[in-house]
Amino acid sequence: MAATNHLLSHSPFLPKTLTHQQHQFTQNPFSRISILPLRNTKIPSKSLLCIKAVLSQESTKTQNPQQTASFQHCFTKSSDGYLYCEGLKVEDVMETVERRPFYLYSKPQITRNYEAYEEALEGLNSIIGYAIKANNNLKILEHLRQLGSGAVLVSGNELRLALHAGFDPKRCIFNGNGKLLEELVLAAQEGVLVNVDSEFDLENIVGAAKIAGKKVNVLLRINPDVDPQVHPYVATGNKNSKFGIRNEKLQWFLDAVKAHPNELKLVGAHCHLGSTITKVDIFRDAAVLMVNYIDEIRAQGFEIDYLNIGGGLGIDYYHAGAVLPTPRDLINTVRELVLSRDLNLIIEPGRSLIANTCCLVNRVTGVKTNGTKNFVVIDGSMAELIRPSLYDAYQHIELVSPAPEDAEVSTFDVVGPVCESADFLGKERELLTPAKGSGLVVHDAGAYCMSMASTYNLKMRPPEYWVEDDGSIAKIRHAETFEDHLRFFKDL
């Protein structure tokens, strides 16, 4: 108890006048675990999911022939050999901004991506909750809020940022498997929807409600154990995930909510399968399970209003013309289930809203060969964009201007200057040998790139710019400087 009071007294989220009120569950969370009966909830095997997904994609192609048209990306390579963003030559942009790696976004593309979800959800009561973890640029958040978006949060600081950006707290959802008490108090004070992730998380939410003096609207994050068929680092809905609660523990959580009527109101159920998902049938498989859970929860007297199916829709990182599911494909696969239960649908897009709106723009420092390996060395690195090093993720790379006339095509690893062998942006890429100082971009860098950037090797985080609706360039984040680093040690 003393430790908790000490934690609260030093919390950036709480006013100093708040005091902790003692709270505890009346029973051990593991002392009574019941299995909630379900109907039609057999979980498909991985092989069956694969078969269903292939059939779904073939069906989609037949029913929606317009989808076979290639996606019109905001970054396009013109016949003159130059890369353009919304009609602006990227090479010209490079000459007008700071001479260092930078992120370049298309504001109109952000709008188009959001409107694709908005149009897909027509006829449903819904919340589009943008996943702030994907990209936390304040100007981008303010733009999405103006478009009507809600926000999905996974930390107290993301909650504070969402409030600063003007998001409606009632359209914000606080996720996470390790939410801290002081973060939850802020969520309770503001009226944010909160997902319950574990026994101790539920205990903390009850404590936060008592401290704030407000009842918290909660959703239960149920782990549906559906294989999303993605990289294990971005799979979140299988039985071994650190996220969510197992279905056999569900009855305990329902009883615990009933035991705290003054602190908790159960308003929904939530699941999140993972990220980069390219088969919409996987979402439907999970939704079928979830509405069965909702049926049984409602049968126990709970007024369930929300089904949150999470996010995770993938994009075409390879730029190979793949026909991938659209927001409309995703929503249509769960639409009838949602309507049949008169539910409000919550979705949590991050990558599919923001990834393809941005490139990391770099300059070539030089070209070298060691043994059998050719390298293009650029000024950008894993410090600015870590996904390839972290996940072995593929992101499309190309030059922003025509190579010299005598340039030969070779296979290169595109690497940065950071003192790590893992510092690469792409491996085994066929490129015309670029000239020193020429521009090179890493595509689809809007999500999980700048938000995961670091200052490793004291490479300061880069500036961000976007192309405005009128075609002008505007800075939307200042670059960090060496002086910023020194500031952390001032007066110590």
Side-chain angles (χ1 to χ4, degrees), residues 67-264:
Q67 290 182 16
T68 60
S70 61
F71 172 69
Q72 296 301 306
H73 204 279
C74 55
F75 288 91
T76 56
K77 182 64 76 72
S78 180
S79 58
D80 62 7
Y82 288 92
L83 183 69
Y84 290 79
C85 178
E86 301 291 354
L88 289 180
K89 192 181 289 187
V90 174
E91 185 175 69
D92 291 343
V93 177
M94 293 175 67
E95 297 305 317
T96 64
V97 303
E98 298 173 62
R99 194 171 181 84
R100 57 184 292 176
F102 65 94
Y103 282 96
L104 178 63
Y105 299 81
S106 161
K107 185 179 181 182
Q109 186 67 55
I110 297 172
T111 302
R112 291 193 290 267
N113 288 351
Y114 182 83
E115 289 176 345
Y117 271 104
E118 195 172 47
E119 291 167 4
L121 287 160
E122 188 175 355
L124 295 176
N125 294 320
S126 63
I127 295 175
I128 301 173
Y130 168 65
I132 288 181
K133 64 179 181 172
N135 188 308
N136 55 34
N137 183 288
L138 178 61
K139 305 304 289 184
I140 291 173
L141 297 185
E142 289 174 341
H143 179 54
L144 288 169
R145 186 260 303 161
Q146 290 167 358
L147 291 173
S149 181
V152 173
L153 327 157
V154 292
S155 74
N157 280 336
E158 287 191 355
L159 171 52
R160 294 172 74 192
L161 186 63
L163 296 173
H164 184 81
F167 284 94
D168 179 355
K170 294 180 176 55
R171 294 173 61 81
C172 291
I173 304 95
F174 191 13
N175 291 340
N177 68 301
K179 300 184 287 292
L180 300 178
L181 179 60
E182 65 267 27
E183 297 173 331
L184 288 165
V185 171
L186 178 61
Q189 290 171 332
E190 297 294 337
V192 171
L193 294 167
V194 178
N195 273 319
V196 178
D197 191 87
S198 65
E199 293 87 349
F200 67 79
D201 194 39
L202 181 61
E203 183 177 3
N204 282 337
I205 297 168
V206 170
K210 290 179 177 179
I211 294 169
K214 292 188 177 181
K215 185 181 292 189
V216 180
N217 290 328
V218 298
L219 295 84
L220 294 179
R221 179 167 180 169
I222 301 170
N223 189 323
D225 197 15
V226 171
D227 180 8
Q229 303 170 45
V230 296
H231 192 288
Y233 285 10
V234 292
T236 59
N238 54 47
K239 66 180 180 181
N240 294 318
S241 173
K242 73 173 184 176
F243 300 103
I245 63 177
R246 296 288 294 136
N247 56 17
E248 62 265 24
K249 296 181 181 179
L250 182 55
Q251 187 61 53
W252 182 93
F253 284 91
L254 296 177
D255 291 341
V257 171
K258 290 177 184 176
H260 295 88
N262 297 324
E263 292 81 28
L264 304 176

Side-chain angles (χ1 to χ4, degrees), residues 36-49 52 223-227 246-247 281-293:
L36 189 66
L38 302 174
R39 296 188 300 272
N40 301 323
T41 57
K42 183 177 179 182
I43 299 172
S45 67
K46 182 174 181 178
S47 58
L48 180 57
L49 283 171
K52 290 174 68 180
N223 189 323
D225 197 15
V226 171
D227 180 8
R246 296 288 294 136
N247 56 17
D281 264 23
I282 293 173
F283 289 99
R284 180 173 175 82
D285 292 335
V288 169
L289 292 172
M290 295 301 294
V291 296
N292 275 281
Y293 290 130

Side-chain angles (χ1 to χ4, degrees), residues 425-464:
L425 282 302
K427 289 186 172 181
E428 302 292 321
R429 304 300 179 90
E430 285 195 358
L431 296 168
L432 284 165
T433 303
K436 181 178 179 180
S438 59
L440 177 148
V441 299
V442 181
H443 278 285
D444 303 311
Y448 306 104
C449 293
M450 182 60 176
S451 65
M452 298 175 73
S454 74
T455 58
Y456 187 45
N457 285 193
L458 277 185
K459 283 179 64 52
M460 311 315 293
R461 278 180 281 255
E464 295 177 288

